[in-house]
Amino acid sequence: MPEGSHRFQVGSTSCTVLSDGYYSYPASWFFPNANPDDLNRELESHHLPQDTVLSPYTCLLIETGRHVAIVDTGAGEYSSSAGAIQARLEMAGIRPKDVDTVILTHAHPDHIGGAIDLYGRPAFPNACYVLSELEWEFWTGAHPDLRHLRVPDSARESLHSMARRCLGTLRHQIEPIDRETEIIPGVVAIPAPGHTPGHLAVLIADGGQQLLNLGDAAVHPLHLEKPCWQNGFDLAADCALATRRQLMDRAIADDMHVMAFHFPFPSIGRIAVNNGGWRWTPGW
Ligand SMILES: [Zn+2]
């Protein structure tokens, strides 16, 4: 597999994580309510830089034999690595027209940007784009309320303008869902609100194995270790934490493998209860 791709099996379903690169954010955007000294100490103890968070973007290709699906599309033309996802798909033998299903966990630019191409057309011409109905209504409504985000106004504005632009382009191919829904056999979208109103997690199950893609229900392993540390991009912090708990409980109870879009590439690992929070162990 090419660099930035990692293929593995969930039962007989082939999954491939695809890297859309890494992006640097001020640490205060990721951890707005953490005490800065505590945060720096934790980052240092994980051998991570202080003050900034280098955040990976990782999409998931799912090949069932009958269906070719992708979960999230990366930042597309807004990315410094524009075209990375398309290139990695091509190197995995997948052309844009082969993709029949695109599941968008939510409509933030790092997840939806690659859903449209450089010419402003749907990047996967034959795909249906699955999105929560709540997510569609929120971003296409007259005035989506982003006041509770703890990021600068410029970041709020770019979230809004990108969502509107991408969703407008995709409108004829969007399939909104309003509950937990099996999208293709073995792939279930699960409402996981808080990060955004219609945020979805995605569960892949085959042959007794399960992979739970958290989307942005957690954006950094420290949000699992320190459940009280909020994410500035979560629209509703309390709801996001309740969702995180539900997903962690489900993953642990059913011994699931876990994936998270912004966790260190290849972004797959296991969860265990630890010290009032959860420990993330990378690997399959
Ligand atoms: Zn994200």
Side-chain angles (χ1 to χ4, degrees), residues 7-34:
R7 184 172 229 144
F8 55 98
Q9 294 290 128
V10 179
S12 60
T13 297
S14 172
C15 290
T16 309
V17 282
L18 308 168
S19 172
D20 191 35
Y22 292 75
Y23 298 82
S24 180
Y25 295 86
S28 60
W29 296 18
F30 264 48
F31 304 101
N33 72 334

mmCIF file of all heavy atoms in Angstrom, residues 7-34:
data_model
loop_
_atom_site.group_PDB
_atom_site.id
_atom_site.type_symbol
_atom_site.label_atom_id
_atom_site.label_comp_id
_atom_site.label_asym_id
_atom_site.label_seq_id
_atom_site.Cartn_x
_atom_site.Cartn_y
_atom_site.Cartn_z
ATOM 1 N N ARG A 7 -4.140 -0.896 5.068
ATOM 2 C CA ARG A 7 -5.279 -1.775 4.775
ATOM 3 C C ARG A 7 -5.381 -2.855 5.843
ATOM 4 O O ARG A 7 -4.369 -3.373 6.300
ATOM 5 C CB ARG A 7 -5.063 -2.411 3.403
ATOM 6 C CG ARG A 7 -6.198 -3.262 2.938
ATOM 7 C CD ARG A 7 -5.992 -3.690 1.475
ATOM 8 N NE ARG A 7 -7.198 -3.443 0.725
ATOM 9 C CZ ARG A 7 -7.249 -3.046 -0.527
ATOM 10 N NH1 ARG A 7 -6.141 -2.808 -1.195
ATOM 11 N NH2 ARG A 7 -8.395 -2.851 -1.120
ATOM 12 N N PHE A 8 -6.607 -3.193 6.230
ATOM 13 C CA PHE A 8 -6.828 -4.250 7.214
ATOM 14 C C PHE A 8 -8.220 -4.827 6.975
ATOM 15 O O PHE A 8 -9.001 -4.271 6.194
ATOM 16 C CB PHE A 8 -6.677 -3.706 8.647
ATOM 17 C CG PHE A 8 -7.566 -2.528 8.958
ATOM 18 C CD1 PHE A 8 -8.773 -2.710 9.628
ATOM 19 C CD2 PHE A 8 -7.218 -1.248 8.571
ATOM 20 C CE1 PHE A 8 -9.601 -1.633 9.906
ATOM 21 C CE2 PHE A 8 -8.051 -0.158 8.832
ATOM 22 C CZ PHE A 8 -9.242 -0.353 9.508
ATOM 23 N N GLN A 9 -8.514 -5.929 7.641
ATOM 24 C CA GLN A 9 -9.794 -6.609 7.436
ATOM 25 C C GLN A 9 -10.676 -6.491 8.669
ATOM 26 O O GLN A 9 -10.185 -6.608 9.801
ATOM 27 C CB GLN A 9 -9.558 -8.109 7.177
ATOM 28 C CG GLN A 9 -8.840 -8.437 5.885
ATOM 29 C CD GLN A 9 -9.690 -8.185 4.665
ATOM 30 O OE1 GLN A 9 -9.249 -7.495 3.747
ATOM 31 N NE2 GLN A 9 -10.902 -8.718 4.643
ATOM 32 N N VAL A 10 -11.951 -6.253 8.449
ATOM 33 C CA VAL A 10 -12.964 -6.446 9.494
ATOM 34 C C VAL A 10 -13.793 -7.619 8.997
ATOM 35 O O VAL A 10 -14.638 -7.456 8.107
ATOM 36 C CB VAL A 10 -13.824 -5.187 9.682
ATOM 37 C CG1 VAL A 10 -14.895 -5.418 10.750
ATOM 38 C CG2 VAL A 10 -12.956 -3.978 10.054
ATOM 39 N N GLY A 11 -13.515 -8.816 9.497
ATOM 40 C CA GLY A 11 -14.112 -10.018 8.908
ATOM 41 C C GLY A 11 -13.686 -10.107 7.454
ATOM 42 O O GLY A 11 -12.501 -9.994 7.136
ATOM 43 N N SER A 12 -14.668 -10.249 6.548
ATOM 44 C CA SER A 12 -14.303 -10.322 5.124
ATOM 45 C C SER A 12 -14.401 -8.953 4.438
ATOM 46 O O SER A 12 -14.223 -8.851 3.229
ATOM 47 C CB SER A 12 -15.201 -11.341 4.413
ATOM 48 O OG SER A 12 -16.550 -10.940 4.545
ATOM 49 N N THR A 13 -14.697 -7.912 5.222
ATOM 50 C CA THR A 13 -14.746 -6.552 4.662
ATOM 51 C C THR A 13 -13.356 -5.947 4.703
ATOM 52 O O THR A 13 -12.681 -5.958 5.730
ATOM 53 C CB THR A 13 -15.724 -5.682 5.481
ATOM 54 O OG1 THR A 13 -17.039 -6.228 5.363
ATOM 55 C CG2 THR A 13 -15.727 -4.247 4.985
ATOM 56 N N SER A 14 -12.947 -5.407 3.551
ATOM 57 C CA SER A 14 -11.633 -4.775 3.474
ATOM 58 C C SER A 14 -11.767 -3.289 3.826
ATOM 59 O O SER A 14 -12.603 -2.582 3.258
ATOM 60 C CB SER A 14 -11.093 -4.951 2.052
ATOM 61 O OG SER A 14 -9.919 -4.200 1.904
ATOM 62 N N CYS A 15 -10.957 -2.849 4.774
ATOM 63 C CA CYS A 15 -10.965 -1.434 5.172
ATOM 64 C C CYS A 15 -9.581 -0.844 4.928
ATOM 65 O O CYS A 15 -8.572 -1.523 5.109
ATOM 66 C CB CYS A 15 -11.300 -1.301 6.657
ATOM 67 S SG CYS A 15 -13.009 -1.704 7.048
ATOM 68 N N THR A 16 -9.545 0.408 4.512
ATOM 69 C CA THR A 16 -8.266 1.089 4.309
ATOM 70 C C THR A 16 -8.369 2.494 4.879
ATOM 71 O O THR A 16 -9.279 3.253 4.502
ATOM 72 C CB THR A 16 -7.916 1.189 2.804
ATOM 73 O OG1 THR A 16 -8.037 -0.096 2.202
ATOM 74 C CG2 THR A 16 -6.491 1.702 2.612
ATOM 75 N N VAL A 17 -7.480 2.827 5.805
ATOM 76 C CA VAL A 17 -7.434 4.214 6.273
ATOM 77 C C VAL A 17 -6.550 5.009 5.312
ATOM 78 O O VAL A 17 -5.510 4.530 4.866
ATOM 79 C CB VAL A 17 -6.913 4.336 7.722
ATOM 80 C CG1 VAL A 17 -7.995 3.977 8.720
ATOM 81 C CG2 VAL A 17 -5.678 3.496 7.960
ATOM 82 N N LEU A 18 -7.007 6.205 4.968
ATOM 83 C CA LEU A 18 -6.346 7.047 3.976
ATOM 84 C C LEU A 18 -6.006 8.386 4.626
ATOM 85 O O LEU A 18 -6.897 9.076 5.132
ATOM 86 C CB LEU A 18 -7.284 7.305 2.799
ATOM 87 C CG LEU A 18 -7.933 6.090 2.135
ATOM 88 C CD1 LEU A 18 -9.045 6.537 1.189
ATOM 89 C CD2 LEU A 18 -6.886 5.281 1.373
ATOM 90 N N SER A 19 -4.739 8.763 4.603
ATOM 91 C CA SER A 19 -4.334 10.014 5.247
ATOM 92 C C SER A 19 -4.535 11.201 4.319
ATOM 93 O O SER A 19 -4.127 11.179 3.165
ATOM 94 C CB SER A 19 -2.859 9.940 5.647
ATOM 95 O OG SER A 19 -2.429 11.217 6.089
ATOM 96 N N ASP A 20 -5.139 12.248 4.857
ATOM 97 C CA ASP A 20 -5.252 13.516 4.138
ATOM 98 C C ASP A 20 -4.256 14.536 4.720
ATOM 99 O O ASP A 20 -4.446 15.733 4.586
ATOM 100 C CB ASP A 20 -6.693 14.045 4.246
ATOM 101 C CG ASP A 20 -6.957 15.209 3.297
ATOM 102 O OD1 ASP A 20 -6.395 15.211 2.181
ATOM 103 O OD2 ASP A 20 -7.714 16.122 3.671
ATOM 104 N N GLY A 21 -3.256 14.041 5.417
ATOM 105 C CA GLY A 21 -2.224 14.930 5.931
ATOM 106 C C GLY A 21 -2.467 15.338 7.379
ATOM 107 O O GLY A 21 -3.307 14.758 8.070
ATOM 108 N N TYR A 22 -1.706 16.330 7.813
ATOM 109 C CA TYR A 22 -1.721 16.796 9.195
ATOM 110 C C TYR A 22 -1.894 18.308 9.195
ATOM 111 O O TYR A 22 -1.368 18.990 8.329
ATOM 112 C CB TYR A 22 -0.392 16.483 9.896
ATOM 113 C CG TYR A 22 -0.147 15.016 10.106
ATOM 114 C CD1 TYR A 22 0.225 14.199 9.044
ATOM 115 C CD2 TYR A 22 -0.266 14.453 11.370
ATOM 116 C CE1 TYR A 22 0.457 12.851 9.225
ATOM 117 C CE2 TYR A 22 -0.034 13.110 11.568
ATOM 118 C CZ TYR A 22 0.329 12.311 10.497
ATOM 119 O OH TYR A 22 0.562 10.973 10.687
ATOM 120 N N TYR A 23 -2.590 18.818 10.193
ATOM 121 C CA TYR A 23 -2.835 20.257 10.285
ATOM 122 C C TYR A 23 -2.533 20.741 11.686
ATOM 123 O O TYR A 23 -2.810 20.048 12.667
ATOM 124 C CB TYR A 23 -4.291 20.570 9.902
ATOM 125 C CG TYR A 23 -4.490 20.153 8.485
ATOM 126 C CD1 TYR A 23 -4.759 18.833 8.184
ATOM 127 C CD2 TYR A 23 -4.268 21.046 7.450
ATOM 128 C CE1 TYR A 23 -4.833 18.409 6.878
ATOM 129 C CE2 TYR A 23 -4.351 20.633 6.152
ATOM 130 C CZ TYR A 23 -4.628 19.312 5.860
ATOM 131 O OH TYR A 23 -4.686 18.892 4.570
ATOM 132 N N SER A 24 -1.989 21.926 11.764
ATOM 133 C CA SER A 24 -1.573 22.477 13.046
ATOM 134 C C SER A 24 -2.647 23.423 13.584
ATOM 135 O O SER A 24 -3.143 24.281 12.847
ATOM 136 C CB SER A 24 -0.255 23.216 12.813
ATOM 137 O OG SER A 24 0.172 23.765 14.009
ATOM 138 N N TYR A 25 -3.028 23.248 14.846
ATOM 139 C CA TYR A 25 -4.019 24.104 15.503
ATOM 140 C C TYR A 25 -3.428 24.634 16.813
ATOM 141 O O TYR A 25 -2.656 23.923 17.468
ATOM 142 C CB TYR A 25 -5.272 23.310 15.873
ATOM 143 C CG TYR A 25 -6.058 22.758 14.705
ATOM 144 C CD1 TYR A 25 -5.727 21.540 14.141
ATOM 145 C CD2 TYR A 25 -7.131 23.470 14.184
ATOM 146 C CE1 TYR A 25 -6.460 21.030 13.073
ATOM 147 C CE2 TYR A 25 -7.873 22.963 13.128
ATOM 148 C CZ TYR A 25 -7.524 21.739 12.572
ATOM 149 O OH TYR A 25 -8.257 21.232 11.521
ATOM 150 N N PRO A 26 -3.839 25.835 17.227
ATOM 151 C CA PRO A 26 -3.464 26.271 18.578
ATOM 152 C C PRO A 26 -4.052 25.273 19.593
ATOM 153 O O PRO A 26 -5.212 24.874 19.463
ATOM 154 C CB PRO A 26 -4.136 27.643 18.716
ATOM 155 C CG PRO A 26 -4.413 28.093 17.306
ATOM 156 C CD PRO A 26 -4.643 26.835 16.512
ATOM 157 N N ALA A 27 -3.250 24.879 20.575
ATOM 158 C CA ALA A 27 -3.726 23.894 21.557
ATOM 159 C C ALA A 27 -4.973 24.400 22.273
ATOM 160 O O ALA A 27 -5.844 23.613 22.656
ATOM 161 C CB ALA A 27 -2.622 23.581 22.556
ATOM 162 N N SER A 28 -5.110 25.723 22.426
ATOM 163 C CA SER A 28 -6.259 26.288 23.144
ATOM 164 C C SER A 28 -7.573 26.043 22.384
ATOM 165 O O SER A 28 -8.644 26.080 22.975
ATOM 166 C CB SER A 28 -6.060 27.784 23.370
ATOM 167 O OG SER A 28 -5.936 28.443 22.130
ATOM 168 N N TRP A 29 -7.515 25.813 21.062
ATOM 169 C CA TRP A 29 -8.744 25.499 20.314
ATOM 170 C C TRP A 29 -9.200 24.084 20.634
ATOM 171 O O TRP A 29 -10.391 23.802 20.654
ATOM 172 C CB TRP A 29 -8.523 25.604 18.798
ATOM 173 C CG TRP A 29 -8.194 26.955 18.279
ATOM 174 C CD1 TRP A 29 -7.742 28.031 19.005
ATOM 175 C CD2 TRP A 29 -8.272 27.394 16.916
ATOM 176 N NE1 TRP A 29 -7.529 29.095 18.168
ATOM 177 C CE2 TRP A 29 -7.839 28.740 16.891
ATOM 178 C CE3 TRP A 29 -8.646 26.776 15.730
ATOM 179 C CZ2 TRP A 29 -7.787 29.472 15.707
ATOM 180 C CZ3 TRP A 29 -8.590 27.491 14.551
ATOM 181 C CH2 TRP A 29 -8.172 28.847 14.547
ATOM 182 N N PHE A 30 -8.226 23.193 20.820
ATOM 183 C CA PHE A 30 -8.556 21.786 21.088
ATOM 184 C C PHE A 30 -8.918 21.555 22.552
ATOM 185 O O PHE A 30 -9.652 20.628 22.865
ATOM 186 C CB PHE A 30 -7.365 20.895 20.704
ATOM 187 C CG PHE A 30 -7.455 20.296 19.328
ATOM 188 C CD1 PHE A 30 -7.779 21.087 18.240
ATOM 189 C CD2 PHE A 30 -7.219 18.947 19.110
ATOM 190 C CE1 PHE A 30 -7.866 20.544 16.962
ATOM 191 C CE2 PHE A 30 -7.301 18.393 17.850
ATOM 192 C CZ PHE A 30 -7.624 19.188 16.775
ATOM 193 N N PHE A 31 -8.344 22.389 23.453
ATOM 194 C CA PHE A 31 -8.524 22.165 24.895
ATOM 195 C C PHE A 31 -8.847 23.488 25.591
ATOM 196 O O PHE A 31 -8.074 23.958 26.426
ATOM 197 C CB PHE A 31 -7.246 21.559 25.491
ATOM 198 C CG PHE A 31 -6.806 20.286 24.830
ATOM 199 C CD1 PHE A 31 -5.766 20.284 23.901
ATOM 200 C CD2 PHE A 31 -7.434 19.084 25.125
ATOM 201 C CE1 PHE A 31 -5.354 19.115 23.291
ATOM 202 C CE2 PHE A 31 -7.029 17.899 24.522
ATOM 203 C CZ PHE A 31 -5.987 17.914 23.599
ATOM 204 N N PRO A 32 -9.989 24.117 25.239
ATOM 205 C CA PRO A 32 -10.228 25.482 25.730
ATOM 206 C C PRO A 32 -10.394 25.594 27.245
ATOM 207 O O PRO A 32 -10.107 26.645 27.802
ATOM 208 C CB PRO A 32 -11.529 25.890 25.017
ATOM 209 C CG PRO A 32 -12.200 24.605 24.668
ATOM 210 C CD PRO A 32 -11.096 23.632 24.397
ATOM 211 N N ASN A 33 -10.842 24.527 27.923
ATOM 212 C CA ASN A 33 -11.058 24.659 29.371
ATOM 213 C C ASN A 33 -9.983 23.949 30.198
ATOM 214 O O ASN A 33 -10.121 23.836 31.412
ATOM 215 C CB ASN A 33 -12.463 24.161 29.773
ATOM 216 C CG ASN A 33 -12.577 22.642 29.700
ATOM 217 O OD1 ASN A 33 -11.854 22.004 28.929
ATOM 218 N ND2 ASN A 33 -13.465 22.068 30.489
ATOM 219 N N ALA A 34 -8.927 23.476 29.547
ATOM 220 C CA ALA A 34 -7.851 22.828 30.307
ATOM 221 C C ALA A 34 -6.961 23.900 30.935
ATOM 222 O O ALA A 34 -6.673 24.918 30.293
ATOM 223 C CB ALA A 34 -7.027 21.932 29.389
#
